């Protein structure tokens, strides 16, 4: 009796398999897709020509990319171009004309310290003397610049250097936005160069008071 039921079950299983194979064919012998969104992902990838999946013969439909090259001169929202070129002249102009637009306070100093620890300490060292771990391990030659009191370098030149890089130092513009670069300049100048961050502001206020008198 047991063998009889096993034979019946085997025949039924075979029949289901045969039906599933031959009954799921569509026109031209193509089987229908199960959960097609898993095969053709609805997510959009940049610079991919998706077109119309149902009609690949229509050029107007298929010539559709998810992203196109922007018009020449296009500026991203919220972005302001940096006007100084990456050359010796641009370096000197930045040094002469650029001033830190961010007013210093304790929070700015704290943020600058965090940025220094993430992007600068491995080369410039914890005290700004160019003795970071990369230099100590002789993976990088000794740095010519040591941040110390009285160092003759303007904040504009420092910003320009962080933006474009200089010598063996690479550009950090892709890692740090303009505001972060200025915060970093603030930290270096107050912490290592012992500069009074409010000195310029005090001088401006004093100058205004003199004019009014």
């Amino acid at each position: 009796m047991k063998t009889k039921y096993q034979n019946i079950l085997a025949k039924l299983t075979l029949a289901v398999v045969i039906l599933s194979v031959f009954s799921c064919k569509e026109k031209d012998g193509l089987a229908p897709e199960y959960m097609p969104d898993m095969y053709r992902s609805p997510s959009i990838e940049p610079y991919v020509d998706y077109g119309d999946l149902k009609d690949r013969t229509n050029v107007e439909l298929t010539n559709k990319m998810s992203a196109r090259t922007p018009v020449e001169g296009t500026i991203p929202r919220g972005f302001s171009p940096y006007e100084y070129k990456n050359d010796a002249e641009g370096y000197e102009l930045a040094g002469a004309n650029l001033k830190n637009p961010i007013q210093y306070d304790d929070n700015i100093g704290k943020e600058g310290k965090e940025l220094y620890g993430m992007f600068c300490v491995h080369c410039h060292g914890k005290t700004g003397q160019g003795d970071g771990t990369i230099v100590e391990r002789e993976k990088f030659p000794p740095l010519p610049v040591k941040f110390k009191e009285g160092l003759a370098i303007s904040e504009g030149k420092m910003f320009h250097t962080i933006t474009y890089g200089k010598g063996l130092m690479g550009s950090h513009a892709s890692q740090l936005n303009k505001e972060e670069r200025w915060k970093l300049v603030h930290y270096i100048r107050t912490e290592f160069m012992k500069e009074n961050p409010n000195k310029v502001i005090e001088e401006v206020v004093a100058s205004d008071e003199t004019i009014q008198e």
Side-chain angles (χ1 to χ4, degrees), residues 15 31 42 58 62 68 82 97 107 126 144:
N58 190 329
T62 56
R68 295 184 182 275
Y82 184 59
N97 300 325
N107 288 329
K126 294 181 179 180

Side-chain angles (χ1 to χ4, degrees), residues 79-131:
F79 174 79
S80 56
Y82 184 59
E83 59 184 303
Y84 299 99
K85 295 182 179 180
N86 184 18
D87 54 24
E89 183 181 0
Y91 178 75
E92 294 299 330
L93 287 173
N97 300 325
L98 283 182
K99 303 297 179 185
N100 201 326
I102 301 175
Q103 185 171 349
Y104 182 87
D105 58 31
D106 291 340
N107 288 329
I108 295 296
K110 182 179 179 181
E111 291 178 37
K113 182 178 181 179
E114 292 177 355
L115 293 170
Y116 184 87
M118 289 188 287
F119 297 99
C120 310
V121 70
H122 51 282
C123 287
H124 289 279
K126 294 181 179 180
T127 60
Q129 302 308 299
D131 54 355

Side-chain angles (χ1 to χ4, degrees), residues 33-99:
E33 294 178 346
Y34 176 70
M35 300 182 70
D37 58 329
M38 296 183 68
Y39 178 70
R40 295 186 175 92
S41 174
S43 62
I44 302 299
E45 301 294 337
Y47 307 107
V48 175
D49 181 7
Y50 286 94
D52 191 315
L53 295 176
K54 295 181 180 179
D55 185 3
R56 303 296 294 181
T57 61
N58 190 329
V59 178
E60 293 184 359
L61 290 176
T62 56
N63 187 25
K64 293 180 179 179
M65 293 190 299
S66 60
R68 295 184 182 275
T69 304
V71 178
E72 185 177 354
T74 300
I75 299 174
R77 188 186 299 271
F79 174 79
S80 56
Y82 184 59
E83 59 184 303
Y84 299 99
K85 295 182 179 180
N86 184 18
D87 54 24
E89 183 181 0
Y91 178 75
E92 294 299 330
L93 287 173
N97 300 325
L98 283 182
K99 303 297 179 185

